[in-house]
Amino acid sequence: MELPLVVGVDGSESSLKAVDWAVAEAARHGLALRLVYASLWERYEGQTPVSSPDRPTDEVLADSIVATAAQRARRRDPDVKVTTAVLPEEAATALLTEGHNAFAVVTGSRGRGELAGLLLGSVSLAVAAGASCPVIVVRGDTAALSAGHGRILLGIGEAARGSSAVDFAFREAATRGCTLDAVRAWRCPAHETTDHALLIGDAAAYHEMRAATVVDEALGSAVDDHPDVLVRRTTLEGQARKVLLDRSAAADLLIVGARRRQGHFGLQLGRLAHAALHHAACPVAVVPQRV
């Protein structure tokens, strides 16, 4: 039985965009959609909806939010099965728990009560940094949100061989029938003294060659397992963060890995994933890898 695609909803425009994106994603993968609202949010956000004489204000708000999101999802695709849940927990805690039994967790880039100028909401950041399943933060322009570019962007890290992020990227590209752009950035130190570089006589060429090797090793057998996926291997000189953010402008989804250390609590995001979540021009999937 396939696990559902979980979406955090809170009534904000950002979360409704996440619902729209998630409906299309659920349809592509043949998944059910589970819309989750955490009822403690408004305690901290000062929301005061119209109250009912028979029911607590927060209960009325919760039911209204999930009903609106469910109705929106069903209008977009009646064939996608939709369920809802109102959970008496903090938003991040609720979504992290839901992630234990989810294909992925989807969130908007900003919550209902957060500052308009905030680059990324605190709930989305906490979930992306700690979830046990992939987390997709929905952001970007219309072309990216509607899968108009026909390209999945995969950032290849140093330890990407056999990674969950690679598997996730191939599955996405195969399901969407689009190109997978596997990118590795490299930099050449100003004063290169590497023996290998000296042997080949060109430090830049050495680092570019090494980056290409890392990409090939990372993709590994996944290429053979998905023969129908068109893979474009790309190595570019520059800072990894800048390279991926620049290329995200022409991608439908940016996928990066996150290493989850057993027994380690708190935020577990590298600088690259953190930058992508705050600044990418398309939705970002953070895929955890246990180490």
Side-chain angles (χ1 to χ4, degrees):
M1 178 178 175
E2 289 281 2
L3 297 174
L5 188 63
V6 172
V7 188
V9 297
D10 66 356
S12 67
E13 183 62 29
S14 179
S15 81
L16 291 177
K17 286 183 179 180
V19 170
D20 293 345
W21 187 92
V23 170
E25 180 75 351
R28 279 190 287 263
H29 290 276
L31 302 173
L33 202 60
R34 178 171 167 82
L35 307 179
V36 176
Y37 174 83
S39 65
L40 296 185
W41 283 344
E42 59 270 16
R43 173 186 297 177
Y44 303 105
E45 296 179 1
Q47 301 297 322
T48 54
V50 177
S51 61
S52 163
D54 302 320
R55 302 170 65 202
T57 297
D58 58 348
E59 187 177 330
V60 174
L61 176 66
D63 288 348
S64 175
I65 285 175
V66 295
T68 299
Q71 183 181 42
R72 184 180 180 112
R74 293 183 179 112
R75 280 202 309 264
R76 292 189 72 86
D77 193 331
D79 293 329
V80 172
K81 180 181 177 181
V82 179
T83 61
T84 63
V86 175
L87 304 176
E89 301 176 73
E90 296 283 3
T93 301
L95 293 176
L96 287 171
T97 300
E98 288 286 318
H100 293 307
N101 292 291
F103 171 84
V105 172
V106 181
T107 75
S109 59
R110 206 163 40 236
R112 174 161 47 87
E114 291 171 311
L115 298 175
L118 202 62
L119 292 173
L120 181 68
S122 57
V123 171
S124 298
L125 181 61
V127 176
S132 58
C133 70
V135 174
I136 299 103
V137 174
V138 177
R139 57 180 303 119
D141 59 19
T142 301
L145 297 178
S146 61
H149 296 294
R151 187 168 69 104
I152 296 293
L153 177 61
L154 171 64
I156 300 294
E158 195 67 46
R161 185 172 185 174
S163 76
S164 299
V166 170
D167 294 338
F168 186 87
F170 269 94
R171 181 162 52 177
E172 281 295 318
T175 301
R176 294 164 180 253
C178 69
T179 300
L180 175 59
D181 188 11
V183 177
R184 169 76 177 174
W186 60 271
R187 303 185 79 175
C188 182
H191 303 288
E192 180 61 76
T193 58
T194 304
D195 292 340
H196 294 292
L198 294 176
L199 285 174
I200 64 174
D202 187 338
Y206 163 73
H207 285 284
E208 185 172 15
M209 180 179 66
R210 184 175 180 277
T213 299
V214 170
V215 172
D216 289 341
E217 291 178 347
L219 300 181
S221 61
V223 174
D224 297 327
D225 294 339
H226 299 276
D228 294 333
V229 174
L230 176 62
V231 180
R232 195 164 98 187
R233 296 169 171 82
T234 304
T235 57
L236 292 170
E237 182 177 10
Q239 186 182 45
R241 177 174 58 185
K242 185 177 186 308
V243 166
L244 289 178
L245 291 180
D246 287 348
R247 294 182 77 84
S248 71
D252 299 323
L253 181 66
L254 166 58
I255 300 171
V256 295
R259 304 182 76 188
R260 299 279 193 259
R261 298 192 180 279
Q262 297 284 2
H264 180 82
F265 299 98
L267 301 182
Q268 297 190 61
L269 277 181
R271 285 179 295 178
L272 176 58
H274 195 275
L277 289 168
H278 281 83
H279 301 290
C282 67
V284 178
V286 177
V287 183
Q289 179 78 28
R290 293 289 179 183
V291 294

